[in-house]
Amino acid sequence: MYALAARLSAEQLRAIATQLYVEMLESGYTSVAEFHYFHDDGTAMAEALIDAATASGIRLTLVPVLYERSGFDASSVLDEQRRFATTADRFLELHSELQAYASESITVGIGVHSLRAVSENSLRQVADRAMRCGCPMHIHIAEQQGEIEQCVAATGVRPVEWLLDTVDVDQNWCLVHATHLIDIEIEALAVSGAVVCLCPSTEANLGDGLFPLTAFRDAGGRIAIGSDSHVTVDPFEELRWLEYGQRLITLQRNVGSGDHDQVGADLLTAAIDGGAQACGIESGLRVGAPADLIELDSSGPALAGHDHATRLDALVFFGSRSPIKRVMVCGEWRVESGRHVHRDATATRFLEVVRAMS
C-alpha cells in the first residue's frame, strides 16, 4: 500500500477514484465521504478526487486527514508514511484552501486518522476548526484490541472514553469502526449524537471484531455504513454482513432491528440517515432537498413476489445480482439499466493506470 501511494500521481489517482465512484454508484451509493491523505503536493491530489467525483457524478464529502505520527509513543511518521505527514498548522491552511471547492455536490469535512496519529494539542486545534465551520469531523477509533491497549498505556483510559473527555463530540462527529466499546462508552457516545460508521466487510477482512450494535442502538446511537478499504463496494452487502455478524454472536435472528420484523428496511433507513449525517448533507424527500434517488427493477428475480412492505428487506438480503436499475444524483441520472453512463471509458482509463503501475 505504501509503495503504491509513493508512486501515485494526481492523474492516476483521478482515474482510480473515478473507477471506484462509478462502481459505488452502480451499487447504490449516491454519496461518499473520502478520507484524503496526500498533502505533500498541496491541493493537487484533493483536486484529483474532486474531478473524479464530478466526472462520475457522485456526491463527495472530502475529508482531508491529519497524520502526524506513527504511534502514541512516536514523534513523527515512518519513512513510508512521509507523503501523508504534515503539521497541524499547515493542515489547517490546506483545509481553508479546500473550502473554496465546496458546492452543491462537494462538501469539505475534516478529520484525523486516529488518536495514535495526532497529538492532543493538534486534535484540539482540528476539532475546534470543525466546530467553528460546522463541518463533519471524522476519526478512526477503537478498531482493534491492540489500539485499545496502546491507548490505555499512553493515556490511562480507552480511546473513546479519552476522546469524549478531551473534546466536545457532537452530531458533527463520525467515529469510524468504534468496534471495541464498553458500556460507559456506549452510553456516552450515543448521548453525544455522533454517528458511528461501521465497515463490516473491512472489519471482517482484518479480523477486527464485531460492534455492539444492539446495545448502541438501544441507547439511541446512530449508525452509518462505509466501505473503508473497499474489500467490497456494495452498501447492501455491508448491511447484510452487519446483521449476520450480530446473529452469529447472539445466536438470534433479526438482531439489528430489535423487535421489528423488517430488519433490512430498518437497518437501511438507519444507515441512510446516519450516512447523510456523517457526510454533512440532508436526507429525506421534500421540496428543495437533494434529488438523490435509486430506481429498483421490480421485474427481476431479486424482488419477485415482494411489495412495499418487504422490498427493502429483499434488497438487503437477496445477495446476488443487484436489482438497481437507475441512480440519480443531484437531479441527474448517472446509472441507466444498471450501468453507469461512463462505465466503459472510465474502465479503459483505469486499466491503463493499473497496467502502468504493475
Side-chain angles (χ1 to χ4, degrees):
M1 178 185 69
Y2 289 132
L4 175 65
R7 298 165 51 203
L8 204 60
S9 69
E11 182 182 354
Q12 290 169 329
L13 178 62
R14 183 183 298 108
I16 293 169
T18 305
Q19 175 66 27
L20 170 64
Y21 297 160
V22 163
E23 292 180 17
M24 293 184 78
L25 284 160
E26 289 184 343
S27 297
Y29 287 104
T30 60
S31 298
V32 56
E34 178 71 56
F35 273 45
H36 170 55
Y37 291 87
F38 297 103
H39 306 308
D40 59 327
D41 294 329
T43 62
M45 299 296 263
E47 291 170 17
L49 293 172
I50 292 168
D51 289 347
T54 301
S56 67
I58 202 166
R59 189 181 297 278
L60 172 68
T61 296
L62 181 67
V63 183
V65 175
L66 178 61
Y67 205 117
E68 290 182 311
R69 63 189 189 184
S70 60
F72 285 103
D73 59 352
S75 59
S76 62
V77 296
L78 301 174
D79 287 343
E80 57 263 35
Q81 297 170 329
R82 294 271 172 214
R83 196 168 190 188
F84 307 155
T86 188
T87 65
D89 289 341
R90 177 55 183 146
F91 174 79
L92 292 175
E93 290 176 1
L94 287 168
H95 180 259
S96 296
E97 294 171 22
L98 289 172
Q99 287 181 309
Y101 293 92
S103 66
E104 180 189 12
S105 60
I106 306 292
T107 299
V108 179
I110 196 167
V112 299
H113 175 270
S114 58
L115 296 184
R116 70 176 182 274
V118 297
S119 68
E120 178 179 341
N121 184 58
S122 295
L123 174 64
R124 290 182 183 276
Q125 283 183 265
V126 170
D128 180 67
R129 168 65 65 84
M131 180 183 66
R132 286 188 287 109
C133 72
C135 65
M137 173 76 198
H138 288 233
I139 182 173
H140 297 108
I141 197 164
E143 179 180 358
Q144 297 175 334
Q145 290 289 1
E147 176 193 348
I148 308 290
E149 295 166 1
Q150 293 165 14
C151 185
V152 171
T155 69
V157 295
R158 299 166 61 87
V160 171
E161 182 181 3
W162 187 90
L163 181 71
L164 293 171
D165 287 342
T166 303
V167 294
D168 293 325
V169 175
D170 60 16
Q171 70 276 2
N172 287 328
W173 280 72
C174 175
L175 278 62
V176 184
H177 303 301
T179 309
H180 301 287
L181 303 177
I182 58 176
D183 290 346
I184 190 173
E185 293 173 312
I186 291 171
E187 293 290 336
L189 184 54
V191 169
S192 75
V195 62
V196 171
C197 182
L198 303 172
C199 310
S201 65
T202 293
E203 290 149 7
N205 182 265
L206 298 178
D208 290 340
L210 292 167
F211 178 77
L213 181 65
T214 299
F216 186 64
R217 295 200 71 196
D218 286 348
R222 306 174 187 185
I223 63 168
I225 284 294
S227 57
D228 193 18
S229 64
H230 310 305
V231 175
T232 62
V233 183
D234 184 338
F236 310 109
E237 182 175 355
E238 299 291 347
L239 291 171
R240 193 160 55 248
W241 268 102
L242 177 61
E243 171 64 17
Y244 285 167
Q246 299 298 313
R247 294 184 185 190
L248 288 170
I249 59 172
T250 63
L251 306 182
Q252 298 178 20
R253 301 175 188 175
N254 289 13
V255 178
S257 61
D259 296 329
H260 304 294
D261 292 331
Q262 264 64 53
V263 62
D266 186 75
L267 285 175
L268 180 56
T269 300
I272 290 172
D273 291 341
Q277 179 180 331
C279 289
I281 60 177
E282 297 182 64
S283 66
L285 292 175
R286 60 188 173 282
V287 175
D292 294 359
L293 306 172
I294 295 175
E295 180 183 340
L296 302 178
D297 180 6
S298 59
S299 65
L303 302 180
H306 291 278
D307 58 17
H308 178 70
T310 61
R311 193 171 290 123
L312 294 182
D313 297 291
L315 180 62
V316 171
F317 290 107
F318 182 69
S320 185
R321 184 178 179 276
S322 173
I324 292 174
K325 184 176 181 180
R326 298 202 294 174
V327 177
M328 172 185 285
V329 182
C330 292
E332 293 188 37
W333 291 111
R334 301 295 183 172
V335 174
E336 296 274 7
S337 300
R339 292 175 57 90
H340 192 278
V341 292
H342 301 311
R343 179 201 274 190
D344 293 341
T346 298
T348 297
R349 178 60 186 132
F350 172 72
L351 290 171
E352 291 173 353
V353 169
V354 171
R355 293 188 186 107
M357 301 194 75
S358 298

